[in-house]
Amino acid sequence: MISCKVVSMEPITIILIISVLGPVIGSFIGVIRKPSMLLMYNMLSFAAGVMLAISFLQLIPESIEFSSPILCVVGVLIGALVMYILDKLIPHIHPELCNPEPGFKLKKTALYLLIGIFLHNFPEGMAIAVGTISSMKVSLAIALGITIHNIPDGICTSAPYYASSRKKLKAFLLSSSTAIPIIAGFFTAKYFYAIISDNFIGIIIAATAGLMIYISADELIPCSCCRNSHHSTIFSLIGGVVFVVLLGMI
């Protein structure tokens, strides 16, 4: 019995590790050396491909299976609306914000972005937990997409704070701490998924799809296809879709 429990916990542990790697890796890069904008745009585009593919190929069909097409539509709208409200209250970070104004404003901007990412990462953690009621492959794909999406976030919070404070370790730790709400959101959702009805589960799965479609359409694709970008980002997006399709074959 003990060995069975250990085996069943391993996929969740791996997924949690992957989900927190984004802010940590991004924060480390931000205090060492910022990568080229083209690389960051391609990362965002790949993440968009993963999120869109998992939403349309996995989450929406599963939501309908758990509940109904109407409840699925309601869930998608709820997820998109939640992210819209968060963006209005506290705008999310974009790669072009990696070079804000120098001096005191730089440190203030970095702290503001840290708070914003904290609030945005909680629902992302809840989205990753969908795999506990669906399949671990779905959870893995969501975690990977969100992780890649969070690496530029980590860069763009640690870099300006380090530039203003000149404290490398503090900048790294503060920026990495944005992984905490991801874990909190994951376990919060995992707990509630065990006690709610199938209809409500269907709505939450659809809301996860709405959340990721909104992030992709509002942030990832526009950023990756800006005038400073390159056509390679289109193939990065397609690569994200192909990755999800291939993952489903495993």
Side-chain angles (χ1 to χ4, degrees), residues 37-131:
M37 294 304 292
L38 180 59
L39 176 60
M40 292 177 66
Y41 289 141
N42 275 282
M43 289 168 57
L44 292 174
S45 189
F46 181 84
V50 171
M51 289 186 180
L52 290 175
I54 204 70
S55 295
F56 289 109
L57 299 179
Q58 298 280 352
L59 298 182
I60 290 177
E62 287 188 3
S63 170
I64 294 173
E65 186 177 341
F66 267 98
S67 54
S68 69
I70 296 299
L71 290 178
C72 175
V73 170
V74 171
V76 170
L77 293 175
I78 289 174
L81 186 61
V82 166
M83 291 310 298
Y84 173 78
I85 292 172
L86 281 175
D87 273 348
K88 286 298 180 182
L89 293 177
I90 301 182
H92 201 30
I93 191 170
H94 295 274
E96 57 267 26
L97 296 178
C98 286
N99 297 306
E101 296 179 32
F104 176 74
K105 288 185 179 180
L106 179 63
K107 188 172 183 179
K108 184 177 180 180
T109 300
L111 289 172
Y112 177 76
L113 293 174
L114 277 168
I115 295 171
I117 292 174
F118 248 85
L119 293 178
H120 279 82
N121 282 358
F122 186 83
E124 290 180 359
M126 296 183 72
I128 295 170
V130 162

Side-chain angles (χ1 to χ4, degrees), residues 147-171:
T147 293
I148 295 172
H149 155 57
N150 281 338
I151 289 176
D153 287 2
I155 295 171
C156 295
T157 49
S158 63
Y161 191 89
Y162 171 56
S164 62
S165 66
R166 308 311 304 172
K167 296 178 180 178
K168 186 175 291 187
L169 180 60
K170 185 176 181 181

